[in-house]
Amino acid sequence: MIFFFLPLSILALDIDRWNLECEFNNTDHRTNLNGIDRLIVRRGQPFSISLYLRSGSYQPGVSSLDCVAETGPQPSEQYGTRASFGLSASIDTSRWSAAVASPPGDMVALLICSAPDAPIGRYTLTLGHSARIEFILLFNPWCPGDAVYMDNEQNLAEYVLAQDGIIFRGAYKHPIPTPWNFGQFESGILDVCLKILDMNPKYLRNPGKDCSGRRNPIYVSRVLSAMVNCNDDKGVLWGKWSGGYEGGVSPMLWRGSVEILRNWDTQACQPVRYGQCWVFAAVACSISRALGIPCRVVTNYLSAHDTNSNLVIERYVNENGEPIQSKEMIWNYHCWVENWMTRPDLKPDFHGWQAYDPTPQEKSEGVFCCGPIPVRAIKEGELTFKYDAPFVFAEVNADVITFIKKKDGSTSKVSSNALVGQKISTKSVGSDAREDITHLYKYPEGSAEEREAFKKADHQNKLLQQQQDQGLHLNIKVTSDMRKGCDFDVFAVVTNNTQSEKKCRLLFGSCALSYNGFMGGNCGFKDLLNVELSPGGERKVPLRLNYSKYGGQVTEDNLIRLAALLLDYTTGDTTLAVRNIVLDNPEIKVRSDLNLWPVSEQILGEPKENRKLANCCFSIEGANLTGGGIITERLGSPVGPGEDAKVKIYFTPTHSGLRKLVVDFDSNKLCHVKGYRNVIIGK
């Protein structure tokens, strides 16, 4: 008689059922705000599954289990979208691995760990012959082996977990904070973000290769840069900067990403109308954070748009000092995003914040996208680095040369003090204050480091481009109180720094301005043919801006461009001074009495002097409070000057343990003023 012995080491576990332990795992992986009804984990970090055996029991060193993790429609070990592994004595966090964390028995606590560079996305995990589970894998900025690792808990709380924030708009001299609900953990948003990846043209052409690329945050950021706009694909947002907003929503009225992303999803991936730079940036930030990449929105004031890649913005004015519209412009402000990651494809020391821009401006490799490029590369003038370094460098550091175009067609250079890249701003960690990060993008003006950066960029030094002081100094001063709806004065100030008398011509004009540099109608103009200045003398020339004149010209941006042109009759030299001003909307104050239950909110103020406001509404939005939607109530009774408007706000628990916001409109004296669509309640 012959006996055959089956080696005990190959006895496979006979799995009957399993528990994904979603509440524990999602909480441990900081994904529980997405819900606890399915498994969502981060790469490079173990998660546990409870296995209940049909027969037999787990025996260390004897039992075996074949595990296969797959993502994408064409999983392949060659592309890294398929991984096969078995049981190990302990978890290896550097690769896909599995280990048992329970004593022998018919219930097995199985630990699974993905590789820290595994592609993100939807996964199927096959355990043996009978168990097949699904989960979502995200980037893990808490994992030292992940390319997006960030070693600072406060920064992680801000740049990954925070669902509300501040985006800075307004003007260089007057930054205005705009609240935004990123809402990356709202119900269904993660699925929309994964769908955006699946709708990108690279995936549609070669899904296996695209899914493989999702291991790399550089690749994912570049895809998002293209997919947040709809210029080349079925992207999220339709950009519009002029004309009306029929058939959509004015970019001014968005206060959160959730409604935009849900609309794109429910409308068969048709672009949501309409977006402008801060909306594009905010949506990109929501998606990046949802996928696990630390991200922040950045605002660059006086941002150059260089169309010919020569790092110089050439501007023209006519003989009255009025601007002549051109393709190369200086935006009053421009917003983009920064993602945090390593850059192993570049020289050492270029890890950290990488700028990328989803606003469609210029094509990159045939597609409307921009970045990611290391912020430090911009500062150092390393313009050969991927991606789109020259364009971003010009945004913060381009030279500006202004020419006056005469009636006979001739041009001459105008002395001006135009600057580019000022007060580069982002929200501070843990507060709503503005953090100035200009020093991360450029060295101080005039420093030796700045000159060296320009050499590296093969770019003429700004200081060499500027002409010496011609003896006459021209600048524009404004008052501190410039409210929309009011009349006010602005001033051109001419100073004679020479030892001789000067006779000049001063043209001082104004026009409406969009934040992206497009000029509108005239808001006021003055032409003084004979301005006389004694040696060391100064002349202050006022220009009255009347609401009756500018009210019908200004756009929703509330911007007015002031320009003063000074012609020195003695030398024939011309000097130009330009300043953009932003008009304040009527002030609305929100006062909370947090000791009351329900919370009582009061909106106070005098939106329009001595007038009642009719057709008022109150809108409110908050992460994990309003379900990602906006609670809006239109109220019929007008609000008189100085009248208080009260609303009761209740916070009620939900099944997921979060708080839901319920608003009881017990007063019909609530006011809505253009420019203040939402009030976002804090955490």
Side-chain angles (χ1 to χ4, degrees):
M1 183 178 294
I2 299 175
F3 294 93
F4 292 95
F5 293 94
L6 186 67
L8 293 178
S9 60
I10 63 170
L11 292 178
L13 294 177
D14 184 16
I15 302 172
D16 178 39
R17 55 191 175 87
W18 53 88
N19 186 337
L20 300 183
E21 309 294 350
C22 294
E23 182 174 2
F24 171 80
N25 286 318
N26 290 10
T27 301
D28 189 45
H29 285 245
R30 300 173 178 85
T31 64
N32 53 306
L33 285 175
N34 287 298
I36 55 174
D37 56 336
R38 57 179 174 169
L39 184 59
I40 304 173
V41 295
R42 301 187 186 275
R43 62 186 194 174
Q45 180 178 341
F47 59 92
S48 62
I49 302 173
S50 297
L51 304 178
Y52 299 90
L53 304 183
R54 181 180 292 107
S55 61
S57 62
Y58 166 71
Q59 297 296 325
V62 175
S63 301
S64 69
L65 184 65
D66 293 327
C67 307
V68 179
E70 298 176 315
T71 185
Q74 302 169 0
S76 162
E77 292 188 5
Q78 176 188 356
Y79 280 147
T81 51
R82 184 179 190 272
S84 302
F85 52 101
L87 291 178
S88 304
S90 61
I91 285 292
D92 182 352
T93 57
S94 67
R95 60 180 181 86
W96 284 94
S97 59
V100 174
S102 57
D106 58 2
M107 194 284 287
V108 177
L110 181 68
L111 292 178
I112 301 286
C113 187
S114 65
D117 62 347
I120 64 161
R122 301 181 187 277
Y123 272 81
T124 298
L125 178 63
T126 304
L127 303 174
H129 298 292
S130 54
R132 185 179 175 87
I133 67 174
E134 294 181 347
F135 65 95
I136 294 174
L137 186 67
L138 303 178
F139 289 107
N140 190 355
W142 286 270
C143 172
D146 198 307
V148 301
Y149 175 63
M150 176 177 272
D151 186 19
N152 186 301
E153 283 296 330
Q154 285 184 313
N155 288 354
L156 288 163
E158 179 70 50
Y159 299 133
V160 181
L161 301 179
Q163 294 194 79
D164 55 76
I166 296 291
I167 300 172
F168 289 93
R169 295 168 56 207
Y172 160 52
K173 296 285 188 179
H174 187 38
I176 296 178
T178 299
W180 193 271
N181 177 29
F182 295 109
Q184 68 270 27
F185 299 120
E186 292 286 355
S187 176
I189 294 302
L190 177 57
D191 297 288
V192 178
C193 296
L194 295 174
K195 185 175 181 179
I196 289 170
L197 295 181
D198 288 346
M199 291 304 297
N200 96 80
K202 294 179 180 179
Y203 176 87
L204 299 177
R205 286 194 298 267
N206 189 334
K209 187 176 181 181
D210 177 77
C211 287
S212 175
R214 297 180 191 180
R215 69 177 64 203
N216 188 346
I218 304 169
Y219 179 84
V220 172
S221 298
R222 191 148 176 84
V223 168
L224 294 182
S225 174
M227 283 298 296
V228 171
N229 70 73
C230 68
N231 288 49
D232 307 287
D233 41 49
K234 291 190 175 181
V236 177
L237 276 163
W238 183 307
K240 191 173 187 186
W241 286 265
S242 61
Y245 301 108
E246 296 79 11
V249 175
S250 164
M252 298 290 175
L253 297 183
W254 298 118
R255 285 296 182 270
S257 304
V258 177
E259 189 177 358
I260 294 170
L261 291 168
R262 285 180 177 167
N263 286 350
W264 177 83
D265 180 43
T266 58
Q267 295 170 10
C269 305
Q270 293 300 305
V272 178
R273 307 183 187 203
Y274 295 99
Q276 292 179 6
C277 71
W278 70 94
V279 185
F280 285 108
V283 171
C285 182
S286 296
I287 301 171
S288 292
R289 290 183 183 182
L291 298 177
I293 305 175
C295 185
R296 64 187 184 184
V297 178
V298 169
T299 301
N300 176 40
Y301 289 98
L302 301 179
S303 186
H305 182 170
D306 180 22
T307 60
N308 60 7
S309 302
N310 68 348
L311 308 183
V312 177
I313 303 299
E314 296 176 337
R315 300 199 299 186
Y316 294 85
V317 297
N318 62 24
E319 290 181 297
N320 288 330
E322 297 167 336
I324 298 173
Q325 193 73 60
S326 67
K327 290 184 178 180
E328 292 200 328
M329 294 174 291
I330 298 177
W331 294 32
N332 193 59
Y333 64 86
H334 180 52
C335 299
W336 57 75
V337 282
E338 293 175 356
N339 279 358
W340 179 273
M341 67 191 76
T342 60
R343 288 301 298 263
D345 58 321
L346 301 178
K347 297 178 183 178
D349 302 325
F350 285 93
H351 305 321
W353 290 117
Q354 315 287 315
Y356 82 94
D357 191 350
T359 300
Q361 296 182 87
E362 300 293 326
K363 285 192 174 184
S364 171
E365 298 180 337
V367 177
F368 278 101
C369 65
C370 180
I373 179 69
V375 171
R376 185 173 178 184
I378 301 304
K379 183 173 183 177
E380 300 296 340
E382 296 282 3
L383 301 195
T384 60
F385 286 1
K386 290 184 174 182
Y387 294 90
D388 308 305
F391 185 81
V392 180
F393 182 89
E395 287 183 303
V396 302
N397 248 332
D399 282 346
V400 181
I401 303 176
T402 305
F403 298 91
I404 185 168
K405 196 168 188 178
K406 300 176 183 178
K407 293 178 181 178
D408 61 6
S410 64
T411 61
S412 60
K413 194 173 177 182
V414 176
S415 173
S416 70
N417 58 353
L419 297 174
V420 161
Q422 299 296 306
K423 281 190 179 176
I424 304 176
S425 305
T426 192
K427 177 186 175 298
S428 295
V429 173
S431 80
D432 290 341
R434 185 184 70 87
E435 180 182 354
D436 195 306
I437 57 172
T438 309
H439 64 284
L440 299 181
Y441 279 85
K442 55 200 296 189
Y443 287 104
E445 296 287 346
S447 65
E449 293 88 351
E450 184 207 22
R451 290 195 293 273
E452 182 62 27
F454 274 96
K455 284 182 183 179
K456 284 184 183 178
D458 192 24
H459 179 48
Q460 288 185 318
N461 193 304
K462 282 183 180 178
L463 301 178
L464 298 179
Q465 288 284 352
Q466 295 176 355
Q467 294 184 348
Q468 294 296 316
D469 185 5
Q470 312 243 328
L472 286 175
H473 182 70
L474 175 66
N475 68 342
I476 297 173
K477 293 187 177 180
V478 300
T479 61
S480 59
D481 190 15
M482 295 179 292
R483 292 179 179 269
K484 189 174 182 180
C486 300
D487 302 337
F488 56 91
D489 289 320
V490 292
F491 303 90
V493 181
V494 185
T495 306
N496 181 7
N497 294 322
T498 71
Q499 300 300 314
S500 59
E501 289 193 3
K502 289 285 186 181
K503 183 177 286 189
C504 314
R505 181 183 181 187
L506 176 67
L507 300 103
F508 193 13
S510 61
C511 67
L513 180 70
S514 296
Y515 85 94
N516 62 335
F518 279 95
M519 268 72 75
N522 175 33
C523 296
F525 182 77
K526 178 177 285 189
D527 185 358
L528 299 181
L529 294 175
N530 293 296
V531 176
E532 296 183 353
L533 291 163
S534 58
E538 181 179 281
R539 177 81 178 270
K540 191 175 184 181
V541 179
L543 176 65
R544 187 72 169 171
L545 294 183
N546 295 305
Y547 179 68
S548 59
K549 177 78 171 178
Y550 73 75
Q553 302 291 342
V554 293
T555 68
E556 292 174 305
D557 296 308
N558 281 5
L559 285 167
I560 294 178
R561 179 186 187 273
L562 307 174
L565 187 69
L566 185 68
L567 173 63
D568 184 346
Y569 288 133
T570 306
T571 63
D573 294 326
T574 306
T575 304
L576 177 71
V578 177
R579 180 167 181 174
N580 299 335
I581 60 173
V582 59
L583 307 181
D584 288 325
N585 279 311
E587 186 179 10
I588 293 179
K589 294 180 180 178
V590 179
R591 185 174 70 223
S592 302
D593 185 353
L594 298 178
N595 295 319
L596 297 178
W597 188 264
V599 178
S600 176
E601 292 284 340
Q602 287 190 325
I603 298 182
L604 313 170
E606 297 180 10
K608 288 187 178 179
E609 263 187 89
N610 303 319
R611 294 188 194 174
K612 287 190 175 184
L613 287 179
N615 299 319
C616 304
C617 70
F618 180 83
S619 301
I620 191 166
E621 178 178 3
N624 295 115
L625 293 174
T626 61
I630 300 171
I631 300 175
T632 303
E633 183 76 11
R634 185 168 294 280
L635 302 163
S637 298
V639 182
E643 289 186 331
D644 289 2
K646 229 180 228 189
V647 59
K648 293 180 181 177
I649 299 175
Y650 300 82
F651 294 99
T652 60
T654 65
H655 68 281
S656 61
L658 302 173
R659 296 186 300 169
K660 184 180 179 182
L661 194 63
V662 179
V663 180
D664 176 16
F665 294 95
D666 65 345
S667 165
N668 57 3
K669 291 185 177 181
L670 302 174
C671 58
H672 166 77
V673 176
K674 186 177 182 181
Y676 294 88
R677 180 170 184 260
N678 304 61
V679 178
I680 295 185
I681 298 301
K683 290 174 270 191

